[in-house]
C-alpha cells in the first residue's frame, strides 16, 4: 500500500462499491484479528483496554516466560481458556463461516476461492462452522468437507491444544476441560478481578497425557514461527481481494499481507471498530462493529 505521508487519499466507504468489487474477485482471503472476537467477550490485546496495556506480553507469551514461571503463564492461559469457553461465535464469525461455503459464496462472488487466515486462537471461527452445520442441516455435509474445513488457517495456533514440552515426545491434543487441571480452578480471577496470584507447583500444572512431562498451551508465542507460512504466502501472492477484520495491523507477518495484495494489484477492504494505523491506505474502509458491518458487506445479513 502507498506509504506517501503527504497523500490525502481516503478509502471508499460505499458498501455497494465493495459488493461489486467482491463479486468480481476470484481469489479472496480474509485476515482476522482480535477485533473479530471482541463482540463475543474475548479481550483484545492492543486496542483501548487491551490486555497488553495491562500486562507485559513478554512476561506471559514467550517460551522464556513459560520456562521462568510456568505457573503464571498457565494461569493467564487458563483465564483465556475460560473466557473462550464461555463465549459464543458472533455474527461476524458466522458471516465468514457462511462465506467459506462454496454454494453460498458463489452466489456472492461467482467461481471464487476463499481462505480465512485468523490470528485468533480462541476457536470461535471453527465453532462458527459447527453452528452453521447444526442450524442448516442442508449445508452440513458441505461444511464438513475438506474444502471448507481446510479453508481456515489458524496461524497462531489453538488455545485448546495442549502440547508436551519434551522434545522427544511433542504430543499435541485438543482439550476443552474446565479447568484443565484442578490447581488452576479459580485462578482466572487473578486476571479478571485482580486477585493475588498464587504460586502453583509445576507438579500440579497440566502434563502430557502420554509421557507425563510438563505441557504448555498450544499457541504460537512471540519469537516462535506462525503456522502455515508457506501456504499463506502462496495465497497472499495470488489474492485479488483481501478482507482485513479486527486487527491493528501491528503483528507481522500478518500485518504485511494486505500491503502485498495491494502491491500485486488486488483490493483491500478493512473492517475495524475504529481507525487504526495504515487503514487510510485501504481501498475500502468500514468502521463500526465487525459483527454488524461484515455480514452486511458479504451479503449475508
Amino acid at each position: 500500500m502507498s506509504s506517501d505521508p503527504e497523500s490525502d487519499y481516503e478509502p471508499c466507504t460505499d458498501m455497494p462499491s465493495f459488493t461489486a468489487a467482491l463479486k468480481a474477485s476470484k481469489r479472496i482471503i480474509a485476515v482476522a484479528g482480535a477485533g473479530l472476537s471482541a463482540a463475543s467477550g474475548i479481550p483484545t490485546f492492543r486496542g483501548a483496554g487491551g490486555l497488553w496495556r495491562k500486562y507485559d506480553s513478554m512476561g506471559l507469551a514467550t517460551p522464556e516466560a513459560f520456562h521462568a514461571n510456568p505457573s503464571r503463564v498457565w494461569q493467564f492461559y487458563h483465564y483465556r481458556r475460560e473466557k473462550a469457553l464461555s463465549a459464543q461465535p458472533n455474527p461476524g464469525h458466522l458471516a465468514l463461516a457462511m462465506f467459506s461455503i462454496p454454494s453460498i459464496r458463489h452466489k456472492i462472488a461467482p467461481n471464487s476461492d476463499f481462505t480465512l487466515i485468523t490470528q485468533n486462537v480462541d476457536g470461535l471461527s471453527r465453532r462458527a462452522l459447527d453452528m452453521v452445520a447444526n442450524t442448516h442441516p442442508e449445508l452440513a455435509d458441505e461444511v464438513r468437507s475438506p474444502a471448507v474445513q481446510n479453508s481456515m488457517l489458524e496461524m497462531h495456533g489453538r488455545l485448546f491444544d495442549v502440547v508436551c514440552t519434551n522434545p522427544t515426545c511433542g504430543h499435541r491434543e485438543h482439550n476443552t476441560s474446565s479447568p484443565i487441571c484442578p490447581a488452576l480452578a479459580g485462578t482466572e480471577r487473578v486476571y479478571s478481578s485482580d486477585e493475588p496470584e498464587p504460586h502453583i507447583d509445576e507438579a500440579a500444572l497440566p502434563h502430557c497425557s502420554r509421557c507425563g512431562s510438563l505441557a504448555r498451551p498450544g499457541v504460537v508465542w512471540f519469537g516462535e514461527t506462525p503456522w502455515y507460512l508457506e501456504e499463506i504466502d502462496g495465497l497472499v501472492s495470488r489474492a485479488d481481494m483481501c478482507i482485513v477484520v479486527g486487527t491493528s495491523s501491528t503483528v507481522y507477518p500478518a500485518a504485511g499481507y494486505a500491503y502485498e495484495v495491494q502491491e500485486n494489484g488486488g483490493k483491500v477492504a478493512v473492517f475495524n471498530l475504529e481507525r487504526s494505523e495504515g487503514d487510510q491506505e485501504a481501498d475500502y474502509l468500514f468502521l463500526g462493529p465487525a459483527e454488524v458491518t461484515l455480514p452486511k458487506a458479504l451479503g449475508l445479513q
Side-chain angles (χ1 to χ4, degrees):
M1 290 187 279
S2 169
S3 58
D4 179 8
E6 301 299 320
S7 173
D8 57 1
Y9 169 81
E10 282 292 315
C12 177
T13 58
D14 181 61
M15 194 73 77
S17 295
F18 168 74
T19 301
L22 183 65
K23 182 177 181 179
S25 301
K26 300 301 179 188
R27 296 173 301 279
I28 306 165
I29 62 173
V31 180
L36 175 63
S37 293
S40 297
I42 304 296
T44 59
F45 287 84
R46 287 176 174 77
L51 285 173
W52 293 156
R53 292 179 181 271
K54 186 174 183 181
Y55 303 109
D56 174 19
S57 60
M58 294 299 110
L60 292 170
T62 66
E64 294 78 14
F66 185 75
H67 178 75
N69 195 336
S71 169
R72 174 174 296 165
V73 172
W74 258 121
Q75 288 175 63
F76 178 61
Y77 282 91
H78 166 72
Y79 160 70
R80 294 184 63 190
R81 285 168 58 94
E82 294 301 301
K83 293 291 288 187
L85 282 170
S86 65
Q88 294 295 324
N90 65 58
H93 295 112
L94 293 170
L96 288 169
M98 291 291 286
F99 193 74
S100 72
I101 301 170
S103 64
I104 302 295
R105 183 178 65 256
H106 291 169
K107 297 174 184 177
I108 302 163
N111 302 313
S112 61
D113 296 324
F114 173 71
T115 302
L116 169 61
I117 302 164
T118 180
Q119 301 172 81
N120 298 334
V121 299
D122 52 42
L124 290 176
S125 289
R126 199 161 291 281
R127 284 171 58 191
L129 283 174
D130 294 336
M131 286 183 66
V132 170
N134 291 333
T135 56
H136 298 275
E138 72 281 6
L139 297 173
D141 288 344
E142 193 174 7
V143 168
R144 296 183 176 119
S145 70
V148 173
Q149 292 294 317
N150 295 337
S151 69
M152 181 190 306
L153 302 179
E154 296 163 295
M155 68 180 300
H156 287 166
R158 292 185 282 264
L159 188 57
F160 296 102
D161 280 4
V162 182
V163 183
C164 180
T165 59
N166 184 341
T168 63
C169 176
H171 175 62
R172 176 183 293 267
E173 66 182 31
H174 190 68
N175 184 321
T176 57
S177 298
S178 172
I180 188 172
C181 66
L184 288 169
T187 63
E188 64 273 15
R189 292 190 292 271
V190 171
Y191 294 95
S192 64
S193 305
D194 286 329
E195 289 194 2
E197 174 191 339
H199 175 76
I200 300 173
D201 289 340
E202 186 173 309
L205 293 173
H207 282 68
C208 176
S209 62
R210 284 193 180 172
C211 76
S213 299
L214 181 65
R216 57 162 279 182
V219 300
V220 176
W221 280 328
F222 293 106
E224 296 181 328
T225 302
W227 296 1
Y228 310 112
L229 283 187
E230 186 174 341
E231 182 177 352
I232 291 171
D233 286 345
L235 290 164
V236 171
S237 69
R238 296 187 295 271
D240 55 9
M241 171 64 76
C242 178
I243 300 168
V244 178
V245 186
T247 176
S248 60
S249 299
T250 58
V251 177
Y252 279 81
Y257 294 153
Y259 177 89
E260 184 177 342
V261 169
Q262 204 171 45
E263 285 290 291
N264 292 338
K267 301 293 185 182
V268 172
V270 173
F271 295 80
N272 265 334
L273 184 62
E274 56 194 6
R275 294 298 293 256
S276 63
E277 182 180 353
D279 62 18
Q280 72 276 4
E281 309 293 349
D283 297 286
Y284 303 94
L285 176 62
F286 301 102
L287 298 179
E291 67 274 14
V292 175
T293 57
L294 195 57
K296 181 178 180 181
L298 296 180
L300 294 166
Q301 195 170 43

